[in-house]
Amino acid sequence: MLTIGQLASYAGVTARAVRHYHAEGLLPEPERDHSGYRRYGAQAVVELIRIRVLADAGVPLARVQELLHADEKEFTAAVAEIDARLRKEIAERERHRERIARLAAGNSLALPPEGAAYLDRWRELGVPERVVQIERDSWILTLAVLSPEEVAEAMAQKGRLLDDPEFVDVLRSISEAIDWAPDDARLNGLADKVAALLDLHADWANGSAGDSPSGTVRRPEAGIVELFDSLALDSIPAGRRLEALLEERGWSGWTEQQRIVP
């Protein structure tokens, strides 16, 4: 869990801005721990980055919450209006205009241009929209620690996994389990299937594919990896149970799987 200062740092804003977003009702204020400090999880980072992107583009805070929850038609109309206004502003606002224009694609919020195409591949494979949204949020969270160029390269690397029939088969199996209860007997079979894939591709699973050939993709620190794991595993009822079953089969972690040494 993150302090307000860590949350602000990951999202590229100030702690004062976070408090202001709390006051405006844009970002839910978490409960305080026994010491009286606010503690934030992965979803707070994702939501804060989304708010920051819209605010940086010149959207009044009064409209930010409306846009975050608008339907596609309303959102597209709002983007067109914002884009027209940004065209009249000085050159330094051009970068923000280009980013807000991509919002019409929905999944491109805070992601590089390759993001929408990458997520569309997941949909083409029959992955449920709820799983696609979890994947989308994980990439938004990745932007808290990596540059857009690094994210694009890491996304290309993972995109190549979608060409592997065995990986896609496991991805579909995990998607089918999205609403299973933690005590569902089928989880043992799913854990066997995931572990078998990790055993088959042990070098990749142990993270050797996490660094790009050019060495330009940095590994996230341990704290952010824990946020990645929580974003994925806590989004589905059986996520943590599946994690425990994989540990019984010799694999720890989710974002960065590591073989457990006996």
Side-chain angles (χ1 to χ4, degrees):
M1 303 297 285
L2 302 175
T3 65
I4 190 171
Q6 291 170 322
L7 171 70
S9 176
Y10 281 135
V13 299
T14 64
R16 181 179 179 181
V18 176
R19 296 188 185 94
H20 183 59
Y21 294 149
H22 285 326
E24 292 293 325
L26 296 175
L27 184 69
E29 185 169 355
E31 296 182 0
R32 297 174 182 264
D33 62 16
H34 65 279
S35 300
Y37 293 101
R38 300 180 182 89
R39 297 295 179 182
Y40 301 85
Q43 195 60 43
V45 182
V46 172
E47 292 303 315
L48 185 54
I49 291 174
R50 290 164 62 87
I51 293 169
R52 188 208 70 200
V53 170
L54 290 167
D56 283 350
V59 180
L61 292 184
R63 294 200 62 197
V64 168
Q65 189 167 31
E66 174 190 345
L67 291 181
L68 289 174
H69 300 287
D71 61 29
E72 183 176 353
K73 183 177 180 180
E74 294 172 337
F75 196 75
T76 301
V79 168
E81 175 186 340
I82 294 169
D83 184 69
R85 174 177 55 81
L86 290 176
R87 286 180 180 274
K88 300 177 183 179
E89 294 184 356
I90 58 177
E92 69 182 45
R93 303 293 293 180
E94 271 301 306
R95 180 174 60 87
H96 299 311
R97 186 195 64 78
E98 292 170 358
R99 296 183 72 184
I100 201 69
R102 293 203 307 271
L103 293 181
N107 290 319
S108 294
L109 176 58
L111 292 179
E114 300 85 356
Y118 169 81
L119 294 175
D120 283 343
R121 285 200 64 192
W122 281 57
R123 296 186 179 92
E124 291 167 2
L125 293 170
V127 177
E129 188 63 26
R130 183 173 159 197
V131 178
V132 174
Q133 298 307 316
I134 295 172
E135 178 70 7
R136 179 205 64 189
D137 287 353
S138 73
W139 286 108
I140 292 178
L141 183 59
T142 303
L143 276 169
V145 292
L146 299 180
S147 69
E149 293 76 19
E150 289 174 309
V151 170
E153 184 170 346
M155 191 175 289
Q157 292 173 11
K158 190 169 183 181
R160 287 192 285 273
L161 290 175
L162 300 180
D163 295 326
D164 183 343
E166 294 171 331
F167 177 84
V168 172
D169 181 52
V170 169
L171 176 60
R172 286 171 173 159
S173 296
I174 294 174
S175 298
E176 291 171 1
I178 191 170
D179 290 317
W180 291 359
D183 60 353
D184 195 303
R186 292 173 291 179
L187 283 171
N188 284 289
L190 177 59
D192 288 339
K193 195 171 190 176
V194 175
L197 179 67
L198 295 176
D199 289 338
L200 186 62
H201 300 287
D203 291 341
W204 164 75
N206 278 304
S208 62
D211 293 320
S212 67
S214 60
T216 58
V217 179
R218 293 168 289 129
R219 287 187 178 284
E221 60 187 58
I224 199 70
V225 170
E226 291 177 3
L227 289 178
F228 284 134
D229 284 356
S230 67
L231 185 62
L233 297 174
D234 295 339
S235 298
I236 60 177
R240 291 298 179 180
R241 177 56 182 160
L242 178 59
E243 179 185 35
L245 291 172
L246 286 173
E247 287 187 3
E248 294 176 6
R249 288 154 176 78
W251 290 95
S252 67
W254 186 258
T255 303
E256 291 189 349
Q257 298 95 351
Q258 296 289 329
R259 189 186 291 280
I260 299 174
V261 178

